[in-house]
Amino acid sequence: MSYSIKIDQSIAYFTINRPAMRNAVNYDVMEGLEFFLDKIEDDPEVSFAVITGEGDLAFCSGGDLSDFHGFQTAEHAFPMLSRGASILYRIATLPMPTIALVNGAAVGGGCELATACDYRLVASHARAGFIQGTLAITAGWGGATLLFEKNGPHDRLLQFTGGASIHSPEHLLELGWATEVYEGDTQAALDQFLAPQLKVHRNVHRAYKSIATRKWEANGLEHAMQEEARVCSILWESDAHHEAVQNFLTKSK
């Protein structure tokens, strides 16, 4: 299976289990995330939700081009992009706090997925970036909208997205994207981060999370994320994007 789900002592875990594909998101992973969200959204016993990737090379390398590169038009690309935006919106607005355990590279859609979470614990060897620009498209799952909603300042975020570069953990910490950078064992880092938070009743964390969610709902976040998907779909059908994808797939062989 392309993913695994477990709930251990009030912590819900979703792990993308495609290390050979650098934990890229395909339709199976999308379905898994939807199942995971259905499972925990209304569970009052879940204190935190954790999203990570199998192994230590990649958290998530974005959308799997072997699944998605065949889309030639905006009309064909938009359903996948819209679905991704809906998944990330649901992650962002879960009633419990969410943690991206960035145990390896988080690029493209993987960077968007991590951005949807409330906290990002980043391994010292990991790298992350909105590299979609190298394929002549923007972020398309609402991740850029989430980034500008959650983080600042504006000019640095434009560089973060528009530069289409991969960044070190130190720079990610400086940007405010990384919550913490950890060395060594991933589970130990997560346990250390959660230890003080688990001393506070889950309903307190949920109450604070609801303040952010109400703000995002009032600001029309879901609509803005879908608009991001629509704009990306228009760029998706451009010759520049198709040429960039073909060059990428040729180099990858």
Side-chain angles (χ1 to χ4, degrees), residues 27 67-73 76-78 80 236-237 241-242:
Y27 283 120
D67 268 23
F68 304 146
H69 83 277
F71 301 138
Q72 296 297 310
T73 67
H76 290 147
F78 180 72
M80 178 275 292
W236 195 287
E237 71 177 9
H241 173 61
H242 295 312

Side-chain angles (χ1 to χ4, degrees), residues 7 10-12 36-48 94-96 202-203 206:
I7 298 178
S10 84
I11 312 300
F36 177 66
L37 294 166
D38 289 342
K39 186 178 181 67
I40 69 171
E41 257 174 344
D42 298 320
D43 187 341
E45 301 302 313
V46 174
S47 298
F48 290 88
L94 277 170
M96 72 288 293
R202 66 177 65 93
N203 288 346
R206 285 169 174 257

Side-chain angles (χ1 to χ4, degrees), residues 131-143:
I131 62 169
Q132 293 92 331
T134 62
L135 294 177
I137 56 173
T138 61
W141 289 341

